[in-house]
Every structure is written in C-alpha cells, then in structure tokens.
Amino acid sequence: MNMRSKSSGGARPAAGAPGVVRIIGGEWKRSKLQVAALPGLRPTPDRVRETLFNWLGQDLTGLRCLDAFAGSGALGFEAASRGATEVLLIEQAPALVASLRDNATRLHANQITVQRGDALSLMRQRTGQAWDVVFLDPPFGEGQNDNLFREALKVARQLVDAEGRLYLEAPRAWTDTELTELGWQVLRQGRAGQVAFHLLGPKVAQAAAGMASGG
C-alpha cells in the first residue's frame, strides 16, 4: 500500500477494533495482527478473505505469494498461515512496514519478507519471477483510480505463473473486455458493500481456467 493508497481519502475504515486484524484460517487462525492506525486503512473484510481462500483452496502449501499493496498484511499473512512457503509483502508507509515486520517476528513467520517501497516499481523489478498468487488491492483513492489499477494489472501479468492466480480488489467490477486487453480472464467474482473482488487467471491458461470456474 502506498501512502496515497488504502490510507488515502475515500476509503472506508476497518471493521472491528481499531488497529487490529484477525487471521481467520490456517496455522495462525484467530491470531491478531497489530496494525498502525492510519486514517482510512481498508483491510480486506473477513468474509471476503474467507471467500477468496475458498476459491484458492485452504491449503497453499508450497506456493509463492506476493501482496503488492500490503497495508495491514491480512492477505499475505492469511496465505502464510495456510502454508505458503514464500510471501512477499510490499508496502510504502513506514508505520505499516513497521507493523508488518513486528507481526512477522511475533508469529515467527520466517517465510514472510516485508519490502518497503513503491509497489509498481518493485513489481517491475520482479518481472518474470512466476509467482503462484499475486494479491492486488491498490488504493481506491478519490473515485475509481482506474489508471493505477490498469497499470498494476499490466505489471502483475508479468509476475504470475502460467497457471497462477491474481486476486483483484477494486471499487468497481472490471469487465471481461477490459481484463482481456490486459491479459487476464475472470474465474470468480463477487461484491461486498462498496468492494468488488475478482479471482483472475492469465488469459493463456485455458485449461486451468476451465477447472477453476467449474469447481
């Protein structure tokens, strides 16, 4: 998450106790993540995370996951809790970076790496690394922030394995036409309040897409 991202104006505050996010599944189920109190921080809601990890499968053993706009780190920590062997959290806000590192230390989460910096720049540096799952929850900002979302989707396409998955959280549903132009196809999608969420696969992965959409 950039400073102009989930902590920017227009985002809804986190539900529940301020500054705390609870892991909902896996090894660290019910563990609390302490989060720096920044105005407008928007962690992915519990029921959306539950749906997402039902789609991905509860066991992520052996997978490599990248959370590009980490914020609270809820998605990355959920992945690690479910067995992901490598999780990279990218975050720009210093206070949130400190929270992420403190939480990783407290949980002895050696599989988690926290990298401070601009998400787009750091994603570009990792082009071709073939991650299994990328979590993409860019800042909503004022309005829909389409340009940032479009650029993030383009960069993420160069990071995901041929049979990998991308989770997109956005203030609106992205259409099949828009996503196809960027090399993606929709496998699953839903809405919770003002948040639209999508599970995407690379457009070339036809066989894997058919299995996911039919399961």
Side-chain angles (χ1 to χ4, degrees), residues 15 48-49 134 164-165 178 184 206:
V48 175
R49 277 185 279 144
V134 171
R165 296 291 179 260
E178 290 174 307
W184 297 105
Q206 297 293 342

Side-chain angles (χ1 to χ4, degrees), residues 143-163:
Q144 295 178 341
N145 218 1
D146 274 3
N147 289 338
L148 176 59
F149 274 79
R150 186 173 299 276
E151 190 61 28
L153 284 163
K154 286 171 60 178
V155 175
R157 182 61 186 84
Q158 305 305 313
L159 291 176
V160 174
D161 181 81
E163 295 186 358

Side-chain angles (χ1 to χ4, degrees), residues 84-206:
T85 54
E86 181 180 354
V87 178
L88 174 62
L89 306 178
I90 298 176
E91 174 52 56
Q92 185 160 302
L96 293 173
V97 169
S99 293
L100 294 171
R101 289 175 174 162
D102 287 347
N103 287 322
T105 298
R106 179 171 51 83
L107 292 171
H108 305 288
N110 296 324
Q111 69 272 59
I112 291 179
T113 299
V114 180
Q115 187 170 10
R116 183 186 173 194
D118 176 75
L120 292 180
S121 296
L122 292 176
M123 289 166 69
R124 289 190 184 100
Q125 292 176 19
R126 295 175 177 274
T127 295
Q129 288 189 354
W131 293 78
D132 297 298
V133 183
V134 171
F135 302 109
L136 198 62
D137 183 9
F140 287 11
E142 299 296 336
Q144 295 178 341
N145 218 1
D146 274 3
N147 289 338
L148 176 59
F149 274 79
R150 186 173 299 276
E151 190 61 28
L153 284 163
K154 286 171 60 178
V155 175
R157 182 61 186 84
Q158 305 305 313
L159 291 176
V160 174
D161 181 81
E163 295 186 358
R165 296 291 179 260
L166 182 138
Y167 169 73
L168 172 66
E169 191 170 313
R172 68 173 180 88
W174 281 66
T175 68
D176 290 337
T177 299
E178 290 174 307
L179 292 167
T180 296
E181 292 174 352
L182 298 169
W184 297 105
Q185 58 186 344
V186 178
L187 306 180
R188 302 286 183 91
Q189 59 185 335
R191 175 171 286 279
Q194 300 302 309
V195 174
F197 52 99
H198 319 63
L199 184 65
L200 309 179
K203 189 61 180 175
V204 296
Q206 297 293 342

Side-chain angles (χ1 to χ4, degrees), residues 7-121:
S7 57
S8 62
R12 59 171 176 74
V20 174
V21 174
R22 191 184 300 272
I23 297 175
I24 61 173
E27 177 185 357
W28 304 322
K29 184 176 181 179
R30 290 186 288 274
S31 295
K32 295 179 180 179
L33 302 177
Q34 303 297 324
V35 182
L38 295 185
L41 184 68
R42 184 181 45 78
T44 300
D46 287 4
R47 67 188 181 102
V48 175
R49 277 185 279 144
E50 182 175 5
T51 298
L52 168 61
F53 285 97
N54 284 337
W55 290 347
L56 290 174
Q58 296 296 327
D59 185 359
L60 273 59
T61 299
L63 299 188
R64 301 172 65 241
C65 302
L66 187 153
D67 189 351
F69 297 83
S72 70
L75 295 174
F77 278 91
E78 290 282 1
S81 183
R82 290 165 165 81
T85 54
E86 181 180 354
V87 178
L88 174 62
L89 306 178
I90 298 176
E91 174 52 56
Q92 185 160 302
L96 293 173
V97 169
S99 293
L100 294 171
R101 289 175 174 162
D102 287 347
N103 287 322
T105 298
R106 179 171 51 83
L107 292 171
H108 305 288
N110 296 324
Q111 69 272 59
I112 291 179
T113 299
V114 180
Q115 187 170 10
R116 183 186 173 194
D118 176 75
L120 292 180
S121 296

